[in-house]
Amino acid sequence: MRIAVATLMTLGLIGCAEPPDEPASTAGASTESGYTHLFSHSRFAIGPTVTETKSEFGMDKVIGPWGVFATIQKTGSVLALPNADAPSRARPALPGGAEAHNVEVRSYFVGAGLPAAEIDQVTVNTTASAGGSGTETPEWTLVAYTSVLNRQYQSIPIVDSFAWAQVNDLGDVVTESVYWPGIPKSILTEASEFADQLEDPASSQAFFATVPSGGRLVIHHTPGTWAGTFDASVAYDISTFGKTTHYDAGGKTFVLPEESGAL
């Protein structure tokens, strides 16, 4: 799963204004499912007030004294980043451990409108720091948890979608990012048919006569930073030595738009 954190550019801070109209993702047109994370539904700790709103570089930005909530206009992809001196960053992690953090983040996004039925599993990344000198054993201190919601359709992973957040002990969202676009009905139908093909003994045998086994069936879509036309596809993915090869239902290989560099 790819999480587009560093791909949004550095976000600024100036002035005074009201929050802008909520953006809508163009990726969801004529599709089923999907979710666009709105500032009005977010618990991101932006500060006591919004100090400015502006649109630049293809992004709508809501700016406060503690950070910036940015939405890519074309796709609806969201990244909310705290400033280096934001008070929310200095708070400890939500108490209760990693599982409690996963439960909290899942509940938060579902409460904001993300479809619960599309969530596959919630995984957690732990950030810790260590101190010590010389031959002393380092003492590790928990800094934060980041919980990541993974997406599925009928148990088929939608591997390029994500929603993740870091929550502190006050329940404030310190940082978050979401890209959960609508998927065309035709792709969902294709995914179901491909799954049935792999379940049928005769069809499966014919498929694996030309395709290596040991992979998995997934749904792909273009990233939230993609400047071209939204694209989604169904693939049987085989990953070896850091490279992933995509096979269609006919057993032929293909490349994703972002892999080919096409716009």
Side-chain angles (χ1 to χ4, degrees):
M1 170 176 161
R2 296 169 289 183
I3 301 178
V5 180
T7 48
L8 285 174
M9 57 192 67
T10 303
L11 309 172
L13 155 61
I14 313 175
C16 181
E18 294 297 321
D21 294 336
E22 297 288 7
S25 170
T26 57
S30 301
T31 65
E32 286 187 344
S33 68
Y35 167 72
T36 299
H37 194 50
L38 304 178
F39 177 70
S40 59
H41 295 171
S42 173
R43 291 194 343 226
F44 174 60
I46 202 167
T49 60
V50 171
T51 57
E52 184 186 12
T53 62
K54 62 182 177 180
S55 297
E56 62 178 0
F57 308 116
M59 290 184 285
D60 292 326
K61 299 178 183 179
V62 182
I63 303 168
W66 297 352
V68 182
F69 184 99
T71 305
I72 297 180
Q73 296 163 346
K74 185 175 179 62
T75 64
S77 180
V78 164
L79 177 63
L81 288 176
N83 297 335
D85 59 352
S88 59
R89 296 185 60 175
R91 303 291 311 183
L94 184 82
E99 183 56 32
H101 194 274
N102 285 350
V103 170
E104 176 66 18
V105 170
R106 186 187 192 281
S107 176
Y108 161 57
F109 280 123
V110 170
L114 188 146
E118 296 183 19
I119 300 172
D120 183 5
Q121 60 178 334
V122 185
T123 56
V124 69
N125 298 318
T126 302
T127 303
S129 62
S133 60
T135 59
E136 295 178 1
T137 301
E139 295 184 5
W140 289 91
T141 303
L142 173 68
V143 175
Y145 296 114
T146 301
S147 295
V148 183
L149 273 60
N150 300 287
R151 190 181 184 190
Q152 58 81 33
Y153 171 72
Q154 296 182 350
S155 299
I156 302 169
I158 306 177
V159 292
D160 301 299
S161 295
F162 59 85
W164 59 260
Q166 175 188 327
V167 180
N168 65 23
D169 64 326
L170 299 179
D172 293 331
V173 172
V174 179
T175 181
E176 63 183 351
S177 187
V178 181
Y179 187 47
W180 203 277
I183 306 297
K185 294 180 182 180
S186 59
I187 296 298
L188 300 180
T189 299
E190 182 183 340
S192 296
E193 293 175 347
F194 203 158
D196 290 342
Q197 174 184 342
L198 295 178
E199 286 294 325
D200 178 76
S203 299
S204 178
Q205 183 177 9
F207 180 78
F208 289 116
T210 56
V211 175
S213 60
R216 62 173 182 163
L217 180 65
V218 302
I219 297 172
H220 285 285
H221 59 71
T222 43
T225 52
W226 185 245
T229 302
F230 178 81
D231 183 80
S233 58
V234 185
Y236 186 81
D237 279 359
I238 299 286
S239 296
T240 53
F241 304 107
K243 178 184 178 181
T244 300
T245 304
H246 316 290
Y247 294 87
D248 64 18
K252 295 182 179 180
T253 62
F254 67 96
V255 296
L256 305 176
E258 63 268 32
E259 294 172 340
S260 67
L263 288 178

